[in-house]
Amino acid sequence: MELRRTDLDADPLRQFRTWFDDAAAVVRMREAMAVATADAEGAPSVRMVLLKAADERGLVFFTHYTSRKGRELEANPRAALLFHWDPLGRQVRVEGLVERVSPEESDAYFATRPAGARAGASASRQSEVLSDRGELERRVAELGEADLARPKTWGGFRVVPEAWEFWQHRDDRLHDRFRYTRRDGAWLIERLYP
């Protein structure tokens, strides 16, 4: 499938929403995205998380602030995101600064999670060494079905885009790639070599 400059919206968020909507029909978890971070020394790490919001302020995911990614984002508040929707032959890359979402936003999202997910977030010491699975299960069982408040060590991060890239598969690896970057308050769109 060909991607031309004239196919693209002038606003990368609107373009992302179009592709995100397209992915709903063919991808089991269109919100799955890789998040790449780096520690204070620049050592990278990457993992999969779920996109929970995308608006003019940025793209949001939730995690433990004390997890490896949380600690890395506190030390080096920059991240790269990658969405890969293979059935469509599409990728979207996002790079930008990272900030915590407000406690109110984190509370509101936490309240929408199923009871088991709230208990899991409360019981987990994400990224710490776990002696065995039984320890985690005991911690969850101790919490029971209580209506748990959001742990203060858990909440959202927002990636504020500085650059977006839209990638469309083409035969012979001659893919179409377009990058959006901010220039003088507007988005500049440039075609990149594959």
Side-chain angles (χ1 to χ4, degrees), residues 13-179:
L13 178 61
R14 287 194 303 261
Q15 182 64 43
F16 173 77
R17 286 177 173 158
T18 297
W19 277 21
F20 193 73
D21 290 345
D22 292 347
V26 295
V27 178
R28 186 175 66 85
M29 293 188 70
R30 65 182 173 161
E31 67 275 18
M33 62 182 184
V35 175
T37 59
D39 66 17
E41 288 75 42
S45 63
V46 65
R47 77 287 290 153
M48 299 299 293
V49 300
L50 298 178
L51 174 71
K52 292 300 178 180
D55 60 25
E56 292 73 18
R57 299 173 297 161
L59 291 88
V60 175
F61 65 94
F62 291 86
T63 190
H64 282 266
Y65 296 135
T66 55
S67 68
R68 180 176 177 182
K69 66 184 152 308
R71 292 189 315 269
E72 289 177 352
L73 290 170
E74 293 297 327
N76 183 0
R78 303 188 66 78
L81 309 176
L82 173 65
F83 296 86
H84 180 225
W85 300 310
D86 183 60
L88 296 171
R90 290 178 176 170
Q91 296 182 48
V92 178
R93 297 178 58 224
V94 182
E95 298 171 5
L97 295 173
V98 177
E99 61 190 26
R100 283 189 185 191
V101 304
S102 71
E104 295 78 17
E105 287 176 271
S106 291
D107 288 342
Y109 172 69
F110 191 78
T112 69
R113 291 169 58 100
R118 291 193 309 271
S122 297
S124 179
R125 296 175 178 152
Q126 192 175 46
S127 300
E128 291 183 20
V129 173
L130 177 63
S131 62
D132 62 56
R133 177 78 185 184
E135 178 185 338
L136 175 61
E137 291 171 355
R138 283 188 298 279
R139 290 177 58 83
V140 170
E142 288 169 5
L143 294 170
E145 295 294 318
D147 188 19
L148 299 169
R150 175 183 64 88
K152 298 304 178 206
T153 58
W154 188 96
F157 284 105
R158 177 178 290 109
V159 178
V160 180
E162 296 175 329
W164 296 75
E165 182 183 318
F166 293 84
W167 182 98
Q168 178 67 61
H169 172 82
R170 296 282 298 274
D171 290 340
D172 298 326
R173 313 242 354 120
L174 297 177
H175 313 304
D176 290 317
R177 295 174 62 193
F178 288 92
R179 178 181 59 202

